[in-house]
Amino acid sequence: MESLVDKNALVMMGGGIAAYKAVLLVRELQRRGAKVRVAMSPSATKFVGTVTLAGLTGEPVATNLWDEAYPGEMHVELAAWADVIVVAPATMNLMARAAAGFADDVVLATLACRRCPAIMAPAMHTAMWQRASTQRNVRALTDEGITIVGPERGALANGEVGEGRMAEPEAIADAVLSCFLPSDYLGKYVVVSAGPTHEDIDPVRFIGNRSSGRMGFALARAARLRGAKVTLVAGPTHLRADPRIDRVDVRSAIDMHEAMRVAVGGDHQPDLVIMAAAVADYRPETRSPQKRKKQVGSTALPLVRNPDILQDLGISRAGKRPVLVGFALETENLIGSARTKLRLKKVDLIVANLAADALGSEENDAVLVSIADEVPLGRLSKTELAHRILDQALLRLIS
Ligand code: C5P
């Protein structure tokens, strides 16, 4: 589902220094399976050579509407070929001309001719971005159905720091991906927990588990790509999340409990909560302020129970909202244990999976268990599994 195979992506560059990043965007779109062609405004060719982009795409680069060697109507054919158009970088000038309906170079004429989704990634100096005329043009382009991605705050070409940096190629490629995914989570608020928890023994040691966080991160990302507002409560992991996801980093089960309570108890009530985190059931009774010394012979570490976050959410919810999804990671009796959790924790859906299939892997083999039925999903990438879980949760959200 998160692939651009069989999709034609037309990357159109305006004349800005960020054109060098648009070269990486071409690469990123190709990496995700898209067939890419490139058009450049005359000024864009001053920043990046056409030879580079022709070499990367294996296609001639369109730069001149008046190219006599070109047999047809360049802008009409390019627009008809594209399944999605990405204008990156979109300069102040390009955006103003597009908003006003100009069509006097290959980029503007092709954009005017489009019938497919279009994305613009603005890149300009902060003062230019903040100019009232630019903001007016952003609104006009948005009203025309163009998706604006970025710009971001950060270092600009001249060394200043401010808003105006072009969004990173991965973020633009994600926006491209969203064009081909259902927007069925638009207007929904989803809270996801992910990763392990670390229960401190002393300042140096902790009790942890082998959860990588990949499943929860895949769920958060899939929900975001399908239009949801997402909060991701993440235990310790090195994974990176989409900057458009509101991420709360936590360490222990107690921290995670608190963060989930804040997320669920705020003014904006979530529609769906998915507990994909591998929460430690126990924590050391006391956290030693100093590093514990070695002992002669064996030793014991008293443990106390952690709160069950999911059960707490299940028991305290009034009515059917938020829809609650939990995981059951087992080494045996998969379905039986999932059914017990469904009842005890009062949740709508349990994703039941075997530890040998799930832990640390890119793939998983899961069964979705609800009171009414069991849906085996077979071996899938965690990305695909995330989308299937969201499909099932959505059925409950709209019922
Ligand atoms: O009972 P068990 O740990 O197998 O249940 C797993 C499910 O419950 C997962 O969704 C996990 O995130 C959640 N859980 C929790 N708080 C705990 C333990 C598990 O929310 N203390």
Side-chain angles (χ1 to χ4, degrees):
M1 210 160 164
E2 290 187 22
S3 145
L4 294 173
V5 172
D6 295 332
K7 299 289 185 269
N8 292 339
L10 176 62
V11 175
M12 303 210 286
M13 299 185 188
I17 186 74
Y20 83 92
K21 273 164 81 179
V23 179
L24 302 177
L25 170 65
V26 168
R27 269 323 219 187
E28 183 60 22
L29 293 170
Q30 289 175 326
R31 193 183 68 75
R32 297 183 189 206
K35 174 108 181 67
V36 182
R37 287 172 73 178
V38 175
M40 297 167 86
S41 72
S43 52
T45 60
K46 306 232 181 285
F47 290 92
V48 184
T50 53
V51 177
T52 306
L53 291 149
L56 288 175
T57 59
E59 296 280 348
V61 176
T63 56
N64 177 10
L65 265 186
W66 313 110
D67 185 351
E68 286 177 12
Y70 196 86
E73 284 188 293
M74 190 184 282
H75 58 301
V76 179
E77 285 169 21
L78 279 175
W81 175 84
D83 295 313
V84 60
I85 289 176
V86 191
V87 182
T91 58
M92 179 184 185
N93 184 50
L94 192 158
M95 293 176 82
R97 296 174 73 74
F102 279 80
D104 57 354
D105 69 22
V106 66
V107 169
L108 294 171
T110 307
L111 193 64
C113 227
R114 76 186 181 283
R115 292 190 198 279
C116 64
I119 291 166
M120 276 192 182
M124 62 196 76
H125 187 271
T126 308
M128 297 167 94
W129 173 249
Q130 290 173 344
R131 190 70 46 218
S133 57
T134 303
Q135 292 306 312
R136 255 196 329 269
N137 293 330
V138 166
R139 284 194 294 278
L141 293 163
T142 307
D143 287 347
E144 274 199 49
I146 295 178
T147 303
I148 308 289
V149 181
E152 291 170 2
R153 223 191 117 70
L156 305 173
N158 66 355
E160 284 178 48
V161 174
E163 206 181 0
R165 259 173 81 89
M166 190 171 88
E168 293 305 315
E170 292 80 18
I172 302 172
D174 280 351
V176 171
L177 205 54
S178 283
C179 295
F180 302 108
L181 291 172
S183 310
D184 45 6
Y185 270 83
L186 202 65
K188 303 269 184 271
Y189 177 30
V190 179
V191 176
V192 181
S193 71
T197 63
H198 286 179
E199 309 298 326
D200 287 341
I201 297 169
D202 63 24
V204 181
R205 308 178 183 97
F206 61 85
I207 300 172
N209 62 65
R210 289 172 49 198
S211 165
S212 65
R214 280 196 203 108
M215 190 67 241
F217 274 64
L219 279 159
R221 174 180 160 77
R224 184 68 197 91
L225 288 173
R226 287 165 70 160
K229 166 181 154 62
V230 180
T231 295
L232 174 63
V233 177
T237 155
H238 297 296
L239 298 179
R240 279 195 312 155
D242 184 325
R244 296 170 307 164
I245 289 175
D246 184 12
R247 175 174 179 166
V248 183
D249 284 302
V250 297
R251 183 170 170 80
S252 67
I254 299 278
D255 296 343
M256 184 172 280
H257 195 201
E258 184 52 29
M260 291 300 289
R261 258 200 249 180
V262 169
V264 170
D267 288 342
H268 190 173
Q269 290 283 307
D271 300 284
L272 170 65
V273 175
I274 307 179
M275 280 293 303
V279 187
D281 290 320
Y282 296 92
R283 67 179 181 281
E285 189 172 32
T286 53
R287 178 187 186 278
S288 164
Q290 307 302 336
K291 187 179 166 197
R292 280 167 63 116
K293 297 280 179 264
K294 266 194 234 34
Q295 316 235 342
V296 181
S298 58
T299 184
L301 182 68
L303 300 176
V304 292
R305 279 292 293 270
N306 270 328
D308 191 311
I309 305 169
L310 185 58
Q311 189 170 35
D312 186 38
L313 295 174
I315 289 172
S316 58
R317 87 177 148 166
K320 291 186 173 170
R321 289 290 180 276
V323 168
L324 285 179
V325 180
F327 276 70
L329 182 75
E330 304 295 341
T331 53
E332 58 180 348
N333 187 21
L334 189 58
I335 304 298
S337 309
R339 291 217 162 276
T340 309
K341 288 191 214 315
L342 208 56
R343 254 195 338 273
L344 278 181
K345 305 198 185 204
K346 301 203 181 324
V347 301
D348 302 290
L349 203 58
I350 289 281
V351 185
N353 49 178
L354 289 168
D357 290 326
L359 279 178
S361 165
E362 294 286 352
E363 293 186 328
N364 203 345
D365 191 348
V367 182
L368 299 187
V369 185
S370 68
I371 294 287
D373 55 17
E374 285 151 28
V375 183
L377 295 177
R379 197 155 188 83
L380 295 174
S381 69
K382 287 185 176 170
T383 302
E384 282 300 317
L385 177 57
H387 283 282
R388 297 291 79 78
I389 294 168
L390 291 181
D391 291 345
Q392 292 292 322
L394 191 67
L395 297 178
R396 285 159 179 82
L397 271 175
I398 53 187
S399 68

